[in-house]
């Protein structure tokens, strides 16, 4: 659930967070009842926000994984313009690292390889399967005869 249901509330949170972190020299703060870890990379500030009861070391691992994954994917050119131009890779990297608040992967090499891996052309063992109506009918007949044979064995 979104803790800031309106865009106005979310923008106020983001602006306040930016104002506060621009003046800080650390990497972890408690802001608006939330643990926030952040890392400056070029002209971009990367944030990971968690609940007040979250482990800040774990959240810091996530922000480092994001930073290092982006460095691999964008060839050490992590700036605002490059991030905008490669927003698809950034989104996929975030999706590989975290899904619905659950940390999935923090190894930047694994994240980068999953993001850049081309989709499989054919799934092993699925080549030559016909998905037309006739192909489905043939599969049904095969399943029916094999099922009858299997029942007769008992």
């Amino acid at each position: 659930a979104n803790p800031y249901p309106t865009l106005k509330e979310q923008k106020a949170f983001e602006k306040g967070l930016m104002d506060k972190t621009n003046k800080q020299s650390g990497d972890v703060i408690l802001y608006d009842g939330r643990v926030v870890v952040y890392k400056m990379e070029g002209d971009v500030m990367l944030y990971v926000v968690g609940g007040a009861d979250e482990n800040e070391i774990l959240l810091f691992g996530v922000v480092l994984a994001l930073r290092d994954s982006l460095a691999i994917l964008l060839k050490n050119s992590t700036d605002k313009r490059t991030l905008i131009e490669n927003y698809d890779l950034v989104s996929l990297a975030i999706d590989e690292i975290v899904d619905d608040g659950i940390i999935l992967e923090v190894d930047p090499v694994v994240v980068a390889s999953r993001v850049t891996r081309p989709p499989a052309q054919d799934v092993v063992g699925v080549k030559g399967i016909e998905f037309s109506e006739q192909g489905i009918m043939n599969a049904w007949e095969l399943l029916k005869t094999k099922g009858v044979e299997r029942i007769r064995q008992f």
Side-chain angles (χ1 to χ4, degrees), residues 38-112:
Y38 57 97
K39 209 61 168 146
M40 186 70 168
E41 189 66 27
D43 62 347
V44 177
M45 187 77 84
L46 302 173
Y47 291 96
V48 174
V49 180
D53 58 339
E54 293 293 332
N55 183 336
E56 53 273 349
I57 296 172
L58 205 57
L59 294 177
F60 193 69
V62 171
V63 81
L64 291 179
L66 179 60
R67 180 197 66 185
D68 296 343
S69 299
L70 293 176
I72 293 169
L73 292 167
L74 304 175
K75 299 171 182 50
N76 290 322
S77 179
T78 310
D79 56 69
K80 191 183 292 185
R81 181 173 177 227
T82 307
L83 287 178
I84 291 170
E85 288 173 355
N86 295 285
Y87 187 72
D88 56 339
L89 293 177
V90 174
S91 297
L92 288 171
I94 293 169
D95 188 53
E96 288 296 326
I97 295 169
V98 178
D99 184 27
D100 200 23
I102 299 170
I103 300 169
L104 302 174
E105 183 65 61
V106 292
D107 184 351
V109 175
V110 173
V111 171

Side-chain angles (χ1 to χ4, degrees), residues 13-32 34-40 44-49:
F13 171 78
E14 291 172 3
K15 182 177 181 343
L17 182 60
M18 183 68 101
D19 292 342
K20 185 159 185 171
T21 55
N22 278 337
K23 300 171 189 169
Q24 299 286 328
S25 61
D27 296 321
V28 180
I29 63 168
L30 187 61
Y31 179 75
D32 196 25
R34 305 190 186 300
V35 175
V36 179
V37 294
Y38 57 97
K39 209 61 168 146
M40 186 70 168
V44 177
M45 187 77 84
L46 302 173
Y47 291 96
V48 174
V49 180

